[in-house]
Amino acid sequence: MSEADVAAHSVTPAASAPANPAPESSSTSNSNITGHEGFVRPSSYLRPIRSRAVSAPKQRPPVPSALDREQAHGLRAIRAFLKVRTSYDVLPLSFRLIVFDTTLLVKKSLNILIQNGIVSAPLWDSRSSTFAGLLTTFDYINVVQYYWQNPDAFNQIDQFRLNSLRDVEKAIGVVPIETVSIHPLKSLYEACRRMLESRARRIPLVDVDDETNREMIVSVVTQYRILKFVAVNVSETQMLRKPLKELDIGTYEDVLIARMETPVIEVITMLVKRSISSVPILDKDGVLLNVFEAVDVITLIKGGVYDDLTLSVGEALMKRSEDFPGIYTCSLHDRLDTIFETIRKSRVHRLIIIDDANHMRGVLTLSDILEYILLEGESDEG
């Protein structure tokens, strides 16, 4: 018991009683007083003392700075734009669409992608006349991983068909990316949310024919196309002037890396296990040299030749086409307004975050940017 508690129950000496004491009022009652008023029962010291709960003073939220308010305004403007524009609005005036039947051989589909300079295509089930998913570079990487783990089945690779891709995913133990699609007249905001929820980097636009009431694939929208559409049409991207170091965006820990001498098949295993689209290539001092991308695997296995998978990363990167755009970097001091400007001008899929000495500090993907502009501060908007 503290001194304050004892003082509250200290015994007061009895005052001398008056000669003619006044009768005790019936309205006054004190169960602790016996015989002499002012004396406390000894048992009172054993009872717990009820003290008033003192509530902690409410802390006021920090007052947003002018930079914070400007950043929040820019994000609200982007979200408002995405909610009023449809997925159909993103499509160019003229485009081509290549759709693969699920009975097509994997080898033939690979050759078609390479000949047309694309890295993905919607799948169509002709038996049920329905949309059947999206073929991407990850499907080919999964096939490579499967046959590398099962060399006895390698001679069957030329007979492998697209409708068996889900069986490959189960065999190598990877979590398949959820197959999602969206109506072309739905908002871009909804399309972006579906991509984030399903971990997809692109989403097919599927309509329904009014006469036959059957599904009809219109096109495919990618994260890059959506972010470029924002960069071109939303001037408020210039208000995103907070540096990356002040934003909770990007990956900075447990980033998988490789060296120039790392075998390609080891990098493919990294891509499969983490479901990532690239692996930074560093030297022994942690200096960024290059990036091995999932699409690089397509170049190595074109024509159905898989011998190049035994090459080192350095040797594999030498096989890139001459029009390869290169890799894009930024620093923690860069801001999203300048990154959006880069997206507007160049075909960017990720940025490697480096310091002044070119040491890698992290990776910023288009998925990171999309998630930030969609979710940052959205709960505060009611």
Side-chain angles (χ1 to χ4, degrees), residues 191-235:
C192 293
R193 292 300 295 254
R194 288 195 186 182
M195 279 194 285
L196 289 181
E197 292 167 0
S198 64
R199 301 180 298 112
R201 297 175 179 87
R202 48 182 56 83
I203 185 169
L205 307 183
V206 179
D207 201 349
V208 177
D209 188 273
D210 293 334
E211 296 181 359
T212 63
N213 202 31
R214 290 184 176 181
E215 291 182 332
M216 177 178 58
I217 302 174
V218 177
S219 187
V220 178
V221 174
T222 64
Q223 291 179 343
Y224 167 74
R225 185 172 290 279
I226 292 175
L227 290 175
K228 181 175 181 178
F229 189 64
V230 170
V232 170
N233 294 283
V234 184
S235 60

Side-chain angles (χ1 to χ4, degrees), residues 90-336:
V90 180
L91 302 180
L93 295 177
S94 176
F95 63 91
R96 62 180 176 179
L97 177 66
I98 296 176
V99 180
F100 290 150
D101 191 282
T102 54
T103 59
L104 185 66
L105 292 173
V106 170
K107 180 179 180 180
K108 288 187 177 181
S109 68
L110 176 62
N111 292 335
I112 294 173
L113 290 184
I114 295 174
Q115 290 170 7
N116 289 275
I118 57 177
V119 295
S120 67
L123 298 177
W124 182 258
D125 188 337
S126 56
R127 296 176 182 176
S128 59
S129 295
T130 56
F131 167 68
L134 190 67
L135 179 71
T136 70
T137 53
F138 278 99
D139 292 306
Y140 296 104
I141 290 175
N142 289 340
V143 171
V144 170
Q145 184 76 357
Y146 171 76
Y147 283 110
W148 200 264
Q149 294 177 2
N150 303 274
D152 295 339
F154 193 80
N155 57 354
Q156 303 173 9
I157 194 167
D158 288 342
Q159 285 76 45
F160 204 72
R161 298 185 182 275
L162 296 178
N163 53 15
S164 300
L165 292 175
R166 300 292 83 87
D167 296 331
V168 171
E169 292 172 342
K170 293 178 182 178
I172 63 177
V174 299
V175 179
I177 295 178
E178 182 184 352
T179 299
V180 296
S181 63
I182 193 169
H183 192 278
L185 295 182
K186 291 289 186 179
S187 72
L188 274 176
Y189 180 84
E190 184 176 343
C192 293
R193 292 300 295 254
R194 288 195 186 182
M195 279 194 285
L196 289 181
E197 292 167 0
S198 64
R199 301 180 298 112
R201 297 175 179 87
R202 48 182 56 83
I203 185 169
L205 307 183
V206 179
D207 201 349
V208 177
D209 188 273
D210 293 334
E211 296 181 359
T212 63
N213 202 31
R214 290 184 176 181
E215 291 182 332
M216 177 178 58
I217 302 174
V218 177
S219 187
V220 178
V221 174
T222 64
Q223 291 179 343
Y224 167 74
R225 185 172 290 279
I226 292 175
L227 290 175
K228 181 175 181 178
F229 189 64
V230 170
V232 170
N233 294 283
V234 184
S235 60
E236 284 85 353
T237 55
Q238 300 174 12
M239 305 178 76
L240 307 180
R241 299 191 300 111
K242 295 183 69 174
L244 292 180
K245 64 180 181 180
E246 297 183 17
L247 306 178
D248 185 17
I249 179 174
T251 303
Y252 300 91
E253 297 180 358
D254 198 23
V255 178
L256 294 180
I257 63 169
R259 311 289 186 200
M260 282 295 188
E261 60 272 16
T262 303
V264 167
I265 192 62
E266 289 188 15
V267 180
I268 290 177
T269 302
M270 297 180 192
L271 298 174
V272 171
K273 287 186 176 180
R274 289 287 189 88
S275 294
I276 53 179
S277 59
S278 66
V279 174
I281 310 301
L282 312 182
D283 69 6
K284 59 183 179 62
D285 298 319
V287 174
L288 178 68
L289 300 177
N290 214 316
V291 176
F292 188 91
E293 303 178 354
V295 293
D296 290 318
V297 179
I298 302 300
T299 304
L300 296 178
I301 62 175
K302 66 180 179 180
V305 180
Y306 295 84
D307 295 339
D308 285 346
L309 297 176
T310 58
L311 298 176
S312 68
V313 167
E315 292 170 328
L317 294 179
M318 293 293 292
K319 294 179 174 292
R320 278 176 170 166
S321 62
E322 295 181 356
D323 60 351
F324 178 72
I327 62 176
Y328 291 86
T329 63
C330 65
S331 74
L332 287 171
H333 302 288
D334 281 314
R335 310 172 314 208
L336 282 181

